[in-house]
Amino acid sequence: MVKDTSLFGIFRKENDQPHQLGPMQRLDVPMRHYTDADVVDVVVVGVGSAGGVLVQRLAKAGWRVVGLEAGPFWDTERDWVSDEAGSHNLYWNDLRITGGKDPLALGANNSGKGVGGGSVHWAGFTPRFHPSDFRVYREDGIGADWPISYEDVKPYYELLEREIPVAGPAYYPWGDPHGYIYGPHPLGQVGAVLVNGCTTLGIRSVAGGPVAILSGSHGDRPHCIYRGFCIQGCKVGAKQSTLISHVPDAVAHGAEIRANAMAARINLGNDGRVTGVTYFDHAGQERCQRAKLVIISGYAIETPRLLLNSATTGYPQGLANSSGTVGRYLMAQAGNVILGRFDEPVRMYKAPPAHALTEEFYETDRRRDFARGFSIQTVGPLPIAFAKQMMVAKGAWGWGLREVMMDYNHWSALGLLGEILPWADNRVTLATETDQFGLPVAHAHFDLHDNDHKLIEFGKNTVMEVMRAAGAQEIVQEPRYAHLIGGARMGNDPATSVVDGWGRTHDIPNLFICDGSIFPTQGAANPGLTIQALAARTADYLITLGAEAAAFRPGHTVMPPLRTELSPAQTTGRGVPRLTSRTPNVHIGLGGLAPGGKA
């Protein structure tokens, strides 16, 4: 008999391997399966950032849960590769149509397909929204106000920062100043470019996070090894996605994750309530999962598309669309990449792309001729992405592009993350083209408006100043977008919004939406943390309502408790104490905390 002396046990045959979610994390719990005849408590359409949190919370509370996911249930050891070109299947690559004066590019930068959704290939920046983001119209007279406040979401920010968990500085000075319970990452050279440039100009910055990447081992997930493949799917398991942070706990508590299941329409009963979801299974067969309650978590393109494709008698413009708002107020963030060349090697790949930033320009400044603001963040394009950027920024091609590529290690990249306002004419509609299932695909129309143009121009030039102050000899830039938001906005008025502050659709009491599509505005912060925090908040609300969750009584208000007992195991009660006091004389720079003085 062969003695088992290897670190993770004797090698097994491929068909004997458990489902791997990382080198140490395995999903070896048998998954529950429901039949077409079963009426489950809830179907969650889309098991991404929001859906992964929802199925975990609801299953742990004892609900009968099915999560429908259009893409695969990833086995990270079999399905993922440490290769930039080999990671294209992580994105939503199905047909979509774009248009408008400033059309969006859809796919790699803003949508995922597979369990974990876009969180599988996000860079992992996890800043919170600012309090002002929830009251933009009241403060600036533009955009829209949220029906909830920062204070409503704050406990869930703190909770998800533990569950992810988020690594970051001990003190974060912007918005609602706060600290992080897990230590920051070491500063990479791209981060040093940002911090040095900002410090020279007297601009505050932070380094080492906040980012959803482990700076130390956590449970069955190892720490980051700084190889730079964050947005290609982290085979190490150090970067969070709901695939590894929440879905395993959901399965352990009885949830069924039904992969390769493309939702076709939400079914409506004669009583005005939804009855379930019709979908195409992995074999292309049309099936229906019946449910007492349905939550759509398909994100900013697929959520409006599904509602529009579910049009029926009583809702000819699309399900839950009596307001005509479904698909409208689609937003992206300005995501220009500014690249600078340095004499000394930078080696952008030798750190997480997301590890240093400044939000010093985040809020509206009355001295400027536009409203709202932007962040500046590190980005770390790998060679293929870098080549595309240089083709756009320098017009490099042929031998000229080859020369630039040989110089890759001397370039650094910083990203503008600017707030583009919600406009009704930026919207998702249905195209005449259909997908492989015969379903009309989404058409995304996008135009920039005057405020957007002014913000982008000022922000782009500011990032160039930072790059110049850091010592770059040549500076170029690629215009682009990042992070889709909107299309099914929340609000108090059913005539101008799709859902209320808990994600319940105004029109249909047992149909909820919970993902980035419900955001009325988007700020200049990455949306991933807020999406996951709102999902936990909605789950607490539904669990508190219990059997009444599928009903709605006007005037009946429920404020749920924060259910920390529903967090995945080993994620609460850990980390160092938070720095919560406001400390106006503390500035953050390359040296970390520095009382008084400039950064």
Side-chain angles (χ1 to χ4, degrees), residues 4 39 73 130 203 221 274 305 363 400 445 492 505 515 549 560:
D4 180 3
V39 180
F73 198 144
H130 289 203
I203 300 168
R221 292 169 54 197
V274 296
R305 177 194 177 198
E363 308 285 351
H445 176 98
N492 289 324
T505 59
D515 56 30

Side-chain angles (χ1 to χ4, degrees), residues 128 157-171 178-184 210 215 218 570-580:
R128 303 177 186 180
Y157 278 146
E158 294 176 344
L159 187 64
L160 267 296
E161 285 164 358
R162 289 183 179 274
E163 293 181 12
I164 284 174
V166 173
Y171 185 74
H178 57 280
Y180 293 93
I181 63 173
Y182 292 98
S215 53
H218 188 275
Q570 299 183 345
T571 61
T572 58
R574 305 179 69 180
V576 300
R578 294 177 183 272
L579 180 61
T580 57

Side-chain angles (χ1 to χ4, degrees), residues 117-153:
S119 68
V120 163
H121 64 86
W122 68 330
F125 264 129
T126 48
R128 303 177 186 180
F129 278 17
H130 289 203
S132 67
D133 288 322
F134 297 84
R135 49 178 190 263
V136 170
Y137 186 78
R138 275 174 288 169
E139 292 199 359
D140 297 317
I142 43 88
D145 288 339
W146 294 50
I148 60 177
S149 69
Y150 172 85
E151 287 69 28
D152 293 323
V153 185

Side-chain angles (χ1 to χ4, degrees), residues 169-255:
Y171 185 74
Y172 195 81
W174 301 287
D176 174 28
H178 57 280
Y180 293 93
I181 63 173
Y182 292 98
H185 290 270
L187 190 67
Q189 283 300 107
V190 177
V193 167
L194 185 147
V195 171
N196 290 339
C198 286
T199 301
T200 299
L201 297 173
I203 300 168
R204 292 182 299 179
S205 62
V206 296
V211 66
I213 300 173
L214 298 179
S215 53
S217 296
H218 188 275
D220 56 2
R221 292 169 54 197
H223 59 76
C224 182
I225 60 173
Y226 306 111
R227 67 194 191 122
F229 278 97
C230 301
I231 62 175
Q232 282 72 37
C234 178
K235 282 178 68 71
V236 174
K239 190 193 73 173
Q240 185 259 5
S241 67
T242 56
L243 171 70
I244 64 172
S245 64
H246 288 80
V247 167
D249 199 56
V251 172
H253 286 90

Side-chain angles (χ1 to χ4, degrees), residues 186-193 226-229 340-353 355 378-383 386 405-413:
L187 190 67
Q189 283 300 107
V190 177
V193 167
Y226 306 111
R227 67 194 191 122
F229 278 97
R341 190 197 182 278
F342 293 80
D343 284 338
E344 296 298 318
V346 176
R347 296 188 174 93
M348 289 187 284
Y349 58 91
K350 281 185 171 283
H355 75 278
T378 54
V379 291
L382 295 179
F386 176 76
M405 294 304 297
M406 288 189 291
D407 208 28
Y408 168 77
N409 281 336
H410 287 266
W411 285 85
S412 176

